[in-house]
Amino acid sequence: MHTDTLFLVLFIVATTVALLARRLRLPYTVALVVAGLVLGQLHAFQAPHLTRDLLFKVFLPGLIFEAAFHFDFSHFRRDQSLILALAVPGVLAAILLTAAILVPAAQLLPLTEFITWRHALVFGALIAATDPIAVVGLFRSLGAPPRLGALLEGESLLNDGTAIVFFGISLGLVSGTALTASGVVIEFIRVVGIGVAAGLVIGLTISTAIRAIDDAMIEITLTSIAAYGSFIAAEQVHGSGVMATVVAGMICGNYGARTGMAPTTRVAVEAFWEYVAFALNSIVFLLIGFEVALPQLLHYWQLILPAFIAVTVGRAAVVFSVSTLTSRRANPIPARWRVVLSWGGLRGGLSMVLALSLPLDFPNRGLLIVTTFGVVLLSILVQGFTMGPLLRRLGLIRSKDERIAYDLHRGELQSAQAALLEVNRMLGQRHADEAGLTTLRNEYQERLSSVQDQLLQMRQEQGGLYQHDLQIARRHLLMVEKAQAIESFREGLLEREAYEKLLARLDERVLQLDREPN
């Protein structure tokens, strides 16, 4: 199958899975992995391998930049101590804890291969990066606290880079490179520092260019240059490309876009990057499913299961200890959130690619690759599928029955209002006996009053419902205003300059509304 045909088929599969996942209310990325797993075992077609070059040169810069571009820096400032602690010393602690649990567990298993401390450290480093895209999307769709999603997303943005750096250092240890504790710290600071510096330079340069230009297509192109240019530049000088892209994305999104982009342009740029993230994530998670060889996973399940437990326990220990140490009295992290942060640290494609990038002569390379693939698959399927029930169990989202009941009452209110308007129209045009229509009007008014009382009570009992409804209504009215402005311009009732200014103001109000927590 030709490459162009192959990617067309992958996008068709991804679109079909997206529609089914929405209908079945499943996490989209989890459904993609399942689809890739099934198609891979059926040998439906030969998908491209998820190689290091493919991930680092195509997927990773775009995905990281999109997340950083949309990440509000105020969220980072609010919880910066926790995010930084989880993403730097927390990653190192998780690597050590994973190795400490895995080595003695592996020694109890009937394996011919040996898992030494050095191998366990390499495994801990390559599995350390979290990929919470599946659960962050689920948080938004289920109405989980926005700050909780921001914590998980902010940590993931930074721990990708730190995990890659620690992975390189751990490989050096296994190969016999003499590294002291101070040497590890210096190497980490050097690689991350170069990445941050490259991201700062490119992010500020692109943001300055954006402020001098007012053309949506050119500004989309400039952000694309920032995404991939920062990554390539940092890697060329042996720095962290991931950190460079994170920094460039946050500068472009929080400085360049807000101070230099017209509202209409910003809507176009954000829509472009949302689509890029959707397309790249669709392909990555499908390819994860294709890469997994079930017979091998089943053969080594006795090692994969303890490894998954070691990774999960290590993550939980780090989250609970770090959040306790950094928690502020004025704005602490609730205990229920710590459970979600622990369980929400899914592993993804980056871990698989790091495993595949191990040197061919690396001791027990095949065993580490199979173990990594197994842990990633368990993480996506087990943690991804159970996150919704866990959020409900902890009372962090409304239950499905409560949401259905609330939506049912809203639907009754809307239908009763429509019927009341029709009764009034019939009364005005004398379509039927006035006394009978008056009786019907009174019945509908009583019904409206009853439903409104029920909705008011539900809103009082579930505080987030009122604000959520208000935000939906405001956005709907802004879309009505925008549609009317477009129609007025088409009919010649507005001059182009006035029309463009009006559209810009409406887009700015939509952007402000979308930035508000719901």
Side-chain angles (χ1 to χ4, degrees), residues 413-460:
L413 181 67
Q414 291 165 358
S415 59
Q417 286 172 331
L420 186 59
L421 286 173
E422 181 63 17
V423 169
N424 288 331
R425 187 189 68 82
M426 293 170 68
L427 271 170
Q429 297 182 2
R430 301 184 182 277
H431 278 300
D433 178 67
E434 186 174 346
L437 288 174
T438 301
T439 301
L440 287 173
R441 182 174 63 182
N442 292 337
E443 289 177 3
Y444 273 107
Q445 286 174 337
E446 290 177 7
R447 183 176 164 189
L448 274 173
S449 178
S450 174
V451 174
Q452 285 171 335
D453 289 342
Q454 290 172 322
L455 282 171
L456 180 61
Q457 183 178 352
M458 293 182 77
R459 287 168 182 156
Q460 290 172 341

Side-chain angles (χ1 to χ4, degrees), residues 48-294:
H49 290 293
L50 193 59
T51 63
R52 180 184 175 89
D53 280 350
L54 188 62
L55 187 78
F56 275 64
K57 293 179 180 178
V58 178
F59 295 109
L60 204 56
L63 289 171
I64 290 174
F65 185 86
E66 185 274 338
F69 185 85
H70 287 101
F71 189 74
D72 193 330
F73 196 72
S74 63
H75 295 157
F76 177 77
R77 284 199 303 268
R78 179 179 55 192
D79 293 303
Q80 60 183 335
S81 58
L82 176 58
I83 291 173
L84 289 172
L86 286 173
V88 184
V91 167
L92 179 58
I95 293 170
L96 297 174
L97 284 171
T98 300
I101 298 170
L102 184 59
V103 170
Q107 290 174 350
L108 300 175
L109 300 174
L111 294 172
T112 56
E113 299 93 338
F114 292 100
I115 298 293
T116 65
W117 266 98
R118 289 187 173 185
H119 297 114
L121 285 173
V122 171
F123 171 75
L126 64 85
I127 205 71
T130 58
D131 186 1
I133 184 66
V135 295
V136 170
L138 191 67
F139 283 5
R140 292 169 182 159
S141 65
L142 295 177
R147 184 187 171 201
L148 180 57
L151 278 171
L152 203 59
E153 197 168 12
E155 179 211 350
S156 175
L157 274 175
L158 299 180
N159 70 18
D160 282 355
T162 55
I164 292 171
V165 174
F166 283 130
F167 174 69
I169 293 172
S170 66
L171 280 180
L173 289 172
V174 172
S175 64
T177 303
L179 283 175
T180 62
S182 60
V184 170
V185 172
I186 291 170
E187 177 65 9
F188 178 83
I189 293 173
R190 184 191 70 80
V191 175
V192 171
I194 290 173
V196 170
L200 278 169
V201 171
I202 292 177
L204 290 172
T205 302
I206 295 296
S207 295
T208 303
I210 285 172
R211 296 187 68 182
I213 296 167
D214 186 17
D215 186 297
M217 294 301 101
I218 294 177
E219 290 175 66
I220 288 173
T221 305
L222 286 172
T223 57
S224 301
I225 293 171
Y228 288 88
S230 58
F231 193 95
I232 293 169
E235 291 288 321
Q236 288 292 322
V237 291
H238 308 291
S240 171
V242 172
M243 295 305 301
T245 305
V246 168
V247 173
M250 292 184 73
I251 291 173
C252 289
N254 288 272
Y255 171 64
R258 293 187 181 181
T259 63
M261 286 184 186
T264 305
T265 299
R266 186 170 179 187
V267 169
V269 173
E270 292 192 353
F272 168 78
W273 280 107
E274 284 173 7
Y275 170 73
V276 168
F278 169 79
L280 295 179
N281 271 313
S282 298
I283 302 299
V284 165
F285 280 93
L286 267 179
L287 294 183
I288 288 175
F290 273 100
E291 289 289 341
V292 172
L294 277 180

